[in-house]
Amino acid sequence: MQATSAEPLARDTEHRSRADARHDLIFRLLLRCCALFVLATLLGAALSTLWGGRDVLLKDGFHFLTSSDWNPVEDQYGALAPIAGTLITSLIALVIAVPISFGIALFLTEIAPNWLRGPVSAAIELLAGIPSIIYGMWGLFVFVPFMANIEPTLNDTLGNIPVIGALFQGPPLGLGLLTAGIVLAVMILPFISSVMREVFQTVPARLKESSYALGSTTWEVVWDIVLPYTRSAVIGGIFLGLGRALGETMAVTFVLGNSYNLTSSLLMPGTSISSSIANEFNEAVGLHRSALIALGFLLFVVTFIVLLIARLMLRQLARREGR
């Protein structure tokens, strides 16, 4: 009697185990397909841009990367000016945005009173949600005239300093690499500061309180406790902002000036990969269209290199922390 009642229970248990194993396998396959879909999408986009730019790459080869000529009338194309403009404006944005973001995150986590943290955090999140075209319009109608008024002062002061003076010499146009870099800094600042604020809040309160109890100042607590504890996440947030700056289109197009001339001055107009594509793709045909698609592939490559550097830095930091 007991054996007879135990057999259905054993069959039910076996059936349930098989069903659980089948469901687990389906779940794993579904997750694997999601991950492969992302990789396939990225690879497909990269290969499609490479295929679309094959004409100019086969025609000019490596010269396409080293030339600054861009003349659609004579079908002469070079990617050096857009690449340089993209990297320079992104570097300017990082130099400005990272210290300010660090100060904002430090203020919100260590200094600001409770009644002020909410409004400031909400303002930062609001800045992150503003469309890029709004930043571009603000930059063109408000910030460009402001820069045109102060660029003569920059030319007369910083322009006379040896070595770096050439960076600040030029006519007061308002449009240029420096203006675009500052607008980009305003755009990526909320992303970097939000990441820093979140990771600073993960530091255990006991560590900071112990340091304060030993007589450390706020700066010493941040430098010796908070930053070492959150170093990897902070670097990840910085590279997240850099990736945002590298791919920005509309805001940069409004204020960069869209000139393919390479100069040493940050006050002169320039161009970037994304702004070149946005400005000319609608009217491009033939080799001109191929050159713009090739620029899109180069943007893929630049972004991939930046992310690879970030991964290598984080891995190196992880090894040092493991020691």
Side-chain angles (χ1 to χ4, degrees):
M1 191 73 176
Q2 294 178 353
T4 304
S5 61
E7 290 179 359
L9 180 61
R11 287 197 298 268
D12 291 342
T13 303
E14 184 179 0
H15 177 71
R16 183 178 300 175
S17 298
R18 292 179 178 177
D20 291 341
R22 183 169 61 254
H23 295 161
D24 186 60
L25 177 61
I26 294 174
F27 182 68
R28 289 184 179 182
L29 291 176
L30 181 61
L31 293 181
R32 185 173 299 176
C33 290
C34 293
L36 293 177
F37 175 76
V38 175
L39 294 178
T41 302
L42 180 63
L43 184 61
L47 292 179
S48 63
T49 53
L50 177 61
W51 179 256
R54 68 189 185 279
D55 293 337
V56 71
L57 294 176
L58 291 175
K59 174 179 177 294
D60 296 333
F62 191 73
H63 181 71
F64 178 71
L65 301 177
T66 59
S67 173
S68 60
D69 296 332
W70 192 272
N71 190 346
V73 177
E74 299 181 1
D75 271 346
Q76 296 179 356
Y77 304 102
L80 184 59
I83 293 175
T86 301
L87 296 178
I88 291 172
T89 54
S90 300
L91 181 60
I92 294 173
L94 277 188
V95 170
I96 297 174
V98 170
I100 298 177
S101 299
F102 177 77
I104 293 174
L106 175 61
F107 175 77
L108 292 177
T109 56
E110 302 294 334
I111 300 175
N114 292 331
W115 63 268
L116 187 58
R117 293 180 181 180
V120 176
S121 300
I124 293 174
E125 294 174 358
L126 179 62
L127 285 175
I130 296 177
S132 60
I133 192 171
I134 303 300
Y135 282 106
M137 294 175 63
W138 167 80
L140 179 63
F141 295 114
V142 178
F143 195 66
V144 167
F146 172 77
M147 289 297 296
N149 291 328
I150 69 169
E151 283 179 358
T153 304
L154 295 177
N155 191 8
D156 296 336
T157 55
L158 298 180
N160 296 324
I161 300 177
V163 182
I164 67 171
L167 297 176
F168 301 97
Q169 295 177 354
L173 302 176
L175 300 169
L177 297 170
L178 181 61
T179 303
I182 296 175
V183 172
L184 278 180
V186 176
M187 294 187 64
I188 68 174
L189 189 146
F191 295 95
I192 301 177
S193 60
S194 296
V195 173
M196 287 186 177
R197 177 172 59 89
E198 293 295 331
V199 299
F200 285 175
Q201 290 177 343
T202 63
V203 179
R206 292 181 179 180
L207 293 179
K208 296 188 288 185
E209 292 173 356
S210 300
S211 183
Y212 281 124
L214 294 175
S216 299
T217 62
T218 302
W219 170 252
E220 290 172 339
V221 171
V222 172
W223 186 257
D224 298 328
I225 303 297
V226 176
L227 277 182
Y229 191 88
T230 61
R231 186 181 302 153
S232 299
V234 168
I235 293 177
I238 292 174
F239 276 93
L240 175 65
L242 177 58
R244 178 81 169 83
L246 288 172
E248 178 53 41
T249 304
M250 294 308 300
V252 174
T253 303
F254 273 90
V255 300
L256 189 53
N258 304 308
S259 172
Y260 287 91
N261 295 325
L262 282 177
T263 65
S264 59
S265 176
L266 299 178
L267 306 183
M268 296 297 292
T271 189
S272 68
I273 295 176
S274 54
S275 64
S276 298
I277 297 174
N279 283 324
E280 303 181 19
F281 195 80
N282 191 39
E283 301 176 355
V285 293
L287 194 63
H288 187 191
R289 183 184 181 92
S290 176
L292 294 176
I293 298 177
L295 286 180
F297 174 73
L298 292 179
L299 185 59
F300 261 103
V301 174
V302 171
T303 306
F304 176 77
I305 293 175
V306 169
L307 295 179
L308 179 62
I309 293 175
R311 298 274 300 190
L312 294 177
M313 290 181 63
L314 293 176
R315 184 176 299 178
Q316 188 67 22
L317 288 175
R319 290 179 180 177
R320 291 181 181 178
E321 293 173 358
R323 295 177 182 176

